[in-house]
Amino acid sequence: MAEPTRYAELARQLSAVGAVKRELARNLSSSCPAGSVAALLVVEEHGDLRIGRLAELLAVDMSVTSRHVAHLADRGLLERTCDPADKRSRILRLTPDGRSVLDELQRRSTALLAERLSEWTDDEVGELTRLMARLRASFGDVRARATANT
Amino acid sequence: MAEPTRYAELARQLSAVGAVKRELARNLSSSCPAGSVAALLVVEEHGDLRIGRLAELLAVDMSVTSRHVAHLADRGLLERTCDPADKRSRILRLTPDGRSVLDELQRRSTALLAERLSEWTDDEVGELTRLMARLRASFGDVRARATANT
DNA sequence: TATTGTTATACTCTATAACTATA
DNA sequence: TATAGTTATAGAGTATAACAATA
């Protein structure tokens, strides 16, 4: 349990991190919208999954996810196959093209971060990444965890 | 200088942190839009400043900032006074009402984070906050630094 | 001429609600 | 009845471009 002022400072940094994301997005200027890329990344990270599960992991409404998935499928970056066990469901899978897009994006974001964070040590970058992942697990995955077993 | 894979992992976490921000915003459900609150926080943090400077710190276009500021001024949370040294400029200042809104929001976000991050130590929360602030300084403030002396 | 700020327009992301198909 | 997904609509956030006032 941390001191109360710690939480206020963290909340402020969370609000301010939007500036970093905007700068990153501007410099990457991908052909694929950022929201769709976020969805693609989750599919890559978690492997095949349903749309509802993807929505939980993204912490957005299923309707939003459905649109992103439709967009990605139209572009051939994602594959929607019917779930034989539940004909209402559709299983999402990354296509080779989808993987190419992510690889390219990763290559460019890595180069950009390497430039901007040249004064950071390996440990510092790793520590920030680890803590952000833990923040997501502690804070953002509540709904995802709650329904992960259904 | 960190290993290349570190940067890719950080980029992924930056993409995913949106989920945390959405969860936070949902649970706070402020009367004031998140974008305007972000602007208000920067004014509080940096003291009186011009709209152009605020736009740099937020890493958004000045037109966007102008709209947020107009919205905040309409609600009486921000004050726009003319700069005597440059009649094109307007100096922004937090009003007592603006401070009240931020105080209330801080109170609620602190309570929410305290609940979700109950297993984090004081040092861990502090370290994440420190690294996020440094990320913002290293990555996001490039344009802001470049024009800070003009 | 250049700069500060505003406004008009368009695009992306999101949520809510109504709907279809299946369980 | 309940659930998985889709679609229509509306609201917030942002960028670009055209504009007004001042430097």
Side-chain angles (χ1 to χ4, degrees), chain B residues 47-64:
Chain B
D48 302 0
L49 36 68
R50 293 178 308 171
I51 299 200
R53 173 67 178 152
L54 177 57
E56 288 166 357
L57 292 166
L58 289 168
V60 296
D61 192 84
M62 200 196 298
S63 65
V64 175

Side-chain angles (χ1 to χ4, degrees), chain B residues 103-119:
Chain B
D103 286 348
E104 165 69 9
L105 224 43
Q106 172 172 324
R107 210 178 50 71
R108 289 167 56 201
S109 60
T110 294
L112 187 58
L113 286 172
E115 176 202 331
R116 300 295 178 93
L117 274 45
S118 60
E119 316 225 324

